[in-house]
Amino acid sequence: TPKGSCLESVKIAIDTGYRHIDGAFVYYNEHEVGQAIREKIAEGKIKREDIFYCGKLWNTCHPPELVRPTLEKTLKILQLDYVDLYIIELPMAFKPGDAIYPKDENGKIIYHETDLCATWEAMEACKDAGLAKSIGVSNFNRRQLEMILNKPGLKYKPVSNQVECHPYFTQPKLLEFCRQHDIVIVGYSPLGTSRDETWVNVSSPPLLKDPVLNAIGKKYNKTAAQVALRFSIQRGVVVIPKSFNPQRIKENFQIFDFSLTEKEMKEIEALNKNVRYVELLM
Ligand code: A2P
């Protein structure tokens, strides 16, 4: 993100009423997020405990001995004492080191063998140390969740699993599994994400152009984006829409003054294409 735009956007978001902020070391703007939170606290607009900040453990930091130092680095960048939620960003490990995407001479990612359960134990230790209030995972499928849930001596269950989730990718089976285990689904790309071909599967049509979402929106004087977000929160999926545009940041928050009927929810559910925008091909 262009320098400063994240700082400004987070401040606008907090003024608008957002409290849940989803970040990561690999977004390279955690310093701006932290600054925005601290400025808003200094202004008296919020207290630290009003904010719910989620940070993420990157793939190169899965070896257990790296987990706490990595979280401490994030806290240093944020200049905060704790994160509200710390999650394993992806269920596969890359070779530890300075390169975020370590590659061999043929340009292939260098993976690293680690035990996800051992990584999880290091995450549990971060919670015990008070550096993270809660711990969770991201991009985990059912089998990977079960590995953690069935770990002998499990101390804390993952509280959440952050995955792609929106009307074109509704995740019914994973959602049901997570419900049964009290794991909150946090839906990323809730608006169908950007159309950036470097990491987005653009062969799937743009979500916000969908006729059903637009027709339902018309009825409530809402946009397709607002209908998509409302749909997710109404099925108990937490949404983390991304925008760096002040008007759209506000628009995405105006979703608590209407509700979709059961019939409309079913119509939107039927839009599911089972196709991901974010394929994470690495
Ligand atoms: P921008 O930052 O210019 O607002 P997702 O949250 O699914 O990842 O989607 C993010 C993309 O959707 C970004 O390209 C963002 O662009 C755009 N976006 C965010 N809010 C809206 C909205 N209300 N209407 C249309 N596009 C939006």
Side-chain angles (χ1 to χ4, degrees), residues 166 188-195 199 207-208 223 225-226 229 240-245 247-249 251-252:
H166 49 73
Y188 68 69
S189 306
L191 302 171
T193 201
S194 68
R195 304 290 289 174
W199 58 280
L207 177 70
L208 300 184
T223 62
Q226 290 168 319
L229 296 176
I240 43 172
K242 171 255 156 189
S243 180
F244 286 109
N245 171 286
Q247 196 194 323
R248 289 191 285 277
I249 290 172
E251 177 184 323
N252 296 341

Side-chain angles (χ1 to χ4, degrees), residues 164-174 204-205 207 210 212-213 231 235 265-277:
E164 178 171 343
C165 195
H166 49 73
Y168 282 178
F169 194 65
T170 55
Q171 301 262 29
K173 290 199 292 192
L174 189 63
S204 194
L207 177 70
D210 185 87
V212 172
L213 295 180
F231 165 75
R235 53 201 298 260
M265 289 296 290
K266 289 234 157 61
E267 267 171 45
I268 300 174
E269 254 162 48
L271 300 175
N272 185 25
K273 295 181 191 297
N274 258 330
V275 175
R276 292 168 196 275
Y277 284 114

Side-chain angles (χ1 to χ4, degrees), residues 161-225:
N161 184 20
Q162 185 180 129
V163 293
E164 178 171 343
C165 195
H166 49 73
Y168 282 178
F169 194 65
T170 55
Q171 301 262 29
K173 290 199 292 192
L174 189 63
L175 193 54
E176 184 49 34
F177 177 80
C178 285
R179 270 200 192 118
Q180 283 165 5
H181 291 274
D182 267 334
I183 298 170
V184 174
I185 290 268
V186 178
Y188 68 69
S189 306
L191 302 171
T193 201
S194 68
R195 304 290 289 174
D196 182 339
E197 285 183 40
T198 60
W199 58 280
V200 175
N201 168 17
V202 290
S203 68
S204 194
L207 177 70
L208 300 184
K209 293 244 155 62
D210 185 87
V212 172
L213 295 180
N214 281 282
I216 294 174
K218 231 182 203 146
K219 173 177 159 193
Y220 295 104
N221 202 14
K222 296 284 177 187
T223 62

